[in-house]
Amino acid sequence: MNGTQIKEVRSKYMSLARCAIFCTGGCESATFSRILNRCVTFKEKIIESSIKRTMDAHWYVIYKNGPAEFDDWTIPVECLQLTYSNTCTRHFRSFILDQWVNIDKVKLSLYNDGVEMKYILFDGRGPSWYSWFEQSRILNSSWTNIISDPNIKDFSIDGLDDGYSIHRFSIYGPYNGCDMETTYLFALDIFQDACSPEWPMTITSFPKIIYSPGDNMAPMHGSPTAYRYADVMAILVKFTSP
């Protein structure tokens, strides 16, 4: 968060109302995380501090990958940009993820050098931020076959975590053996995958966003040119009209 922090309070009883009570005596703004039960107060009045507008004023960035845990709330300004930055040391994670209200559409975008390489547009209406990431909710995509692709077997944010492999934001084909695995997209926080010896890739930093550059799923065991790495994965939302 770009501001002078006054204090941070964590409590299992923390709520938005309780957090507001802490904002006194020189406090001009505060943020509350329901997942972390955390309230942080600031000296400055921070406008749209946890929402980042894009060039299209109707879309807001609510998540951007970075080398930190999904629930991190410390946000250097470099992490609000849709380009890779060595000085960005955190995820950007908006409070909107915890207070999923009046969301109409969600867009997941992959960027390299600030250029959008792939995207998926979802119906965002639902009870939580997890509910939109489903194949049945896809409205449009630069992966032309993804909407009706019957070969997708894992389409989930949590992805695969079976003790041998860990994938997040997974859009993956059947797990029928290392020489047959295919994917549209998945993210690695750590290089833990039972099939990694079969992958012709070298990974030296995390997170790593791996995606198919074509219209279909890319084979993980094939040539390194069969898939790509994205600099940035961003999740954007568009609100319902008032």
Side-chain angles (χ1 to χ4, degrees):
M1 186 68 65
N2 299 311
T4 306
Q5 182 175 321
I6 300 174
K7 64 180 175 181
E8 174 184 321
V9 182
R10 293 176 183 253
S11 170
K12 65 179 180 180
Y13 303 110
M14 186 59 64
S15 65
L16 189 61
R18 287 177 179 270
C19 185
I21 293 173
F22 284 106
C23 191
T24 59
C27 171
E28 291 291 334
S29 62
T31 62
F32 164 63
S33 170
R34 182 179 291 114
I35 287 181
L36 298 180
N37 296 316
R38 180 168 76 174
C39 175
V40 182
T41 59
F42 297 89
K43 290 183 179 180
E44 296 84 7
K45 184 177 291 185
I46 304 172
I47 306 301
E48 290 191 346
S49 56
S50 292
I51 309 175
K52 172 64 177 175
R53 283 180 182 261
T54 65
M55 294 298 291
D56 182 340
H58 297 290
W59 287 96
Y60 297 81
V61 179
I62 61 168
Y63 178 85
K64 178 196 166 192
N65 67 285
E69 296 300 322
F70 287 149
D71 289 331
D72 201 297
W73 277 70
T74 306
I75 309 168
V77 65
E78 294 85 357
C79 298
L80 299 178
Q81 302 167 353
L82 295 178
T83 54
Y84 176 76
S85 171
N86 288 325
T87 56
C88 175
T89 59
R90 295 289 186 271
H91 288 300
F92 169 55
R93 188 187 191 286
S94 169
F95 68 87
I96 293 174
L97 293 174
D98 299 326
Q99 301 169 22
W100 196 260
V101 180
N102 297 327
I103 305 299
D104 182 32
K105 294 180 176 64
V106 183
K107 186 179 182 182
L108 184 149
S109 294
L110 305 179
Y111 293 86
N112 278 327
D113 297 324
V115 178
E116 185 181 67
M117 308 304 295
K118 289 291 182 181
Y119 75 88
I120 310 176
L121 182 65
F122 296 88
D123 179 351
R125 295 170 295 177
S128 72
W129 89 277
Y130 269 79
S131 59
W132 58 272
F133 196 76
E134 297 178 359
Q135 187 178 12
S136 61
R137 287 180 169 268
I138 298 176
L139 301 175
N140 196 8
S141 177
S142 55
W143 283 301
T144 56
N145 297 321
I146 196 171
I147 295 177
S148 58
D149 192 336
N151 296 312
I152 297 174
K153 301 304 179 184
D154 180 17
F155 201 119
S156 65
I157 292 175
D158 288 337
L160 175 67
D161 190 348
D162 61 0
Y164 301 98
S165 305
I166 300 177
H167 299 169
R168 305 300 184 198
F169 287 95
S170 176
I171 308 177
Y172 222 81
Y175 296 105
N176 291 333
C178 297
D179 61 342
M180 300 179 66
E181 291 192 358
T182 56
T183 187
Y184 283 107
L185 168 70
F186 71 99
L188 292 173
D189 274 338
I190 59 175
F191 201 9
Q192 180 174 333
D193 195 289
C195 291
S196 59
E198 305 287 335
W199 295 350
M201 66 172 66
T202 300
I203 296 179
T204 58
S205 62
F206 297 94
K208 188 63 69 175
I209 313 301
I210 299 166
Y211 71 96
S212 168
D215 291 333
N216 300 297
M217 286 189 282
M220 291 305 302
H221 66 282
S223 166
T225 59
Y227 48 82
R228 299 285 189 276
Y229 301 130
D231 293 338
V232 170
M233 180 177 71
I235 300 170
L236 306 91
V237 297
K238 182 178 288 187
F239 295 96
T240 56
S241 300

